[in-house]
Amino acid sequence: MGRTEAGPAPASATPAPGYGAVLRAPGMRAVFAAHAVSMAGKLAAEVALSILVYQRTGSPLLSSLVLVCAFLPHAVGGTALSALADRFPPRRVLVGCDLLAAACVAAMLVPGLPVAALLLLLLTTGFVAPVTQGARAASLTQLLDEDLFPVGRSLLRTISQTAVVAGFALGSVLVAAIGPHWMLAADAASLLLSAALIRLCTPATPALAPDGRRSPAGVLADSADGLRRLFADRRVRRLVLLTWAVPGFSAVGDGLAVAYTTHAGAPATAAGALFTGYAVGTVLGESAVARLAPTRRRRLVVPLLLCSQVPLVAFFLAPPVPVAVALLALSGAGFACNQGIDPLILSATEPAYRGRLFTVQTSGMMTVQGVAIALSGAAGTVLAPSLVIGAAGVAGTAVVLTLFLRARTP
């Protein structure tokens, strides 16, 4: 079930595990280079647009709406447009999304454009972002075999986490050096480069859903029908919920980073160490697990699920900031459990619905994290941040183990 009708290129022998094996597959270097380029440009542009809006309005609220507009559309776009990742060849979808996003960012450079128009253009890029992520994951099912597919998705996540750390860390410095308009222009150029890499340097693959599996009513109806079919399957539903729950509970530490450092008597600037700790732990965990054989990755799912949640329980003891950073890094390393969960999702899903599944899985994960951070922030106003994070660890441990044990049973 890990292969689509097109099928990945056959291998004469089982490839050695690790990111190197993924990058040696035809077209993979271009796929991941395009992802890295577009992610770096996107994150730097969000910083640039936040600064540009603040410079023009002097309003912290309007400036913060930039990040809201960047993430909020994921839930809507990932649900309503998910069928695009199945109805059309993945390469065509990826190129189209990059070109549309590049056009929106280029339009932001029009002099005197109202702030409302800037935010509307950003919302448009947010709508297509989950489709891009779903189509990219769907293309991996055709370009990689079933053992390398979870390693390929792991590399996508590693690039994303690295881009988050680098993008937000360097974005403000670059904006100060060259100005927000040049940063937006660089983002538009990065999206065009991404489109060119995908179009010219990756193999063409067919649409996952053949003509007979498409709704004549159009993309919206096809998206709704696909999601109904996917979530009607208890096992698929529980596995997808599991991939949402793991980062959803562990995101509480990020959401309360500033409050925790302040409550611990450390400077508020130390919160950056907490943000970085989780991201670095995620990258190290993903990289280490990707080197293991598929059977070992599957056996490590439960230990990694526990690793993602149990360190948060130690926050009940209100550890000092350096220890808190180490605990969040350990929690981030547990996110590599997805390398054992992805093969289960792949085997339980028909090829014609995989694009929709990966699109809604990614958009749902981002939505759940946003909701978890908002709720933890509200709870942190009435309870000590250490208690909220510790409680999230207890609840998260119970939820993820329950979901996995139930999903493992046919």
Side-chain angles (χ1 to χ4, degrees), residues 82-88 138 207-209 214 351-357:
S82 61
L84 289 173
D86 287 324
R87 288 171 69 98
F88 302 99
L208 289 172
R214 303 179 191 176
Y353 295 98
R354 286 175 181 167
R356 274 164 282 194
L357 173 71

Side-chain angles (χ1 to χ4, degrees), residues 36-99:
V37 166
S38 61
M39 276 294 299
K42 173 181 178 294
L43 291 166
E46 287 173 10
V47 175
L49 194 58
S50 295
I51 294 173
L52 178 63
V53 170
Y54 185 76
Q55 287 177 345
R56 291 181 55 182
T57 65
S59 169
L61 174 61
L62 289 176
S63 179
S64 67
L65 283 179
V66 169
L67 292 181
V68 174
C69 290
F71 289 100
L72 183 63
H74 276 75
V76 178
T79 302
L81 304 178
S82 61
L84 289 173
D86 287 324
R87 288 171 69 98
F88 302 99
R91 189 171 72 175
R92 189 187 305 172
V93 174
L94 290 170
V95 171
C97 289
D98 277 344
L99 292 178

Side-chain angles (χ1 to χ4, degrees), residues 356-379:
R356 274 164 282 194
L357 173 71
F358 296 133
T359 300
V360 76
Q361 180 196 26
T362 304
S363 61
M365 183 174 65
M366 296 193 69
T367 303
V368 167
Q369 287 183 83
V371 172
I373 289 173
L375 292 177
S376 65

Side-chain angles (χ1 to χ4, degrees), residues 3 11 52 125 235 331:
R3 299 174 184 266
L52 178 63
T125 65
R235 192 177 190 216
S331 176

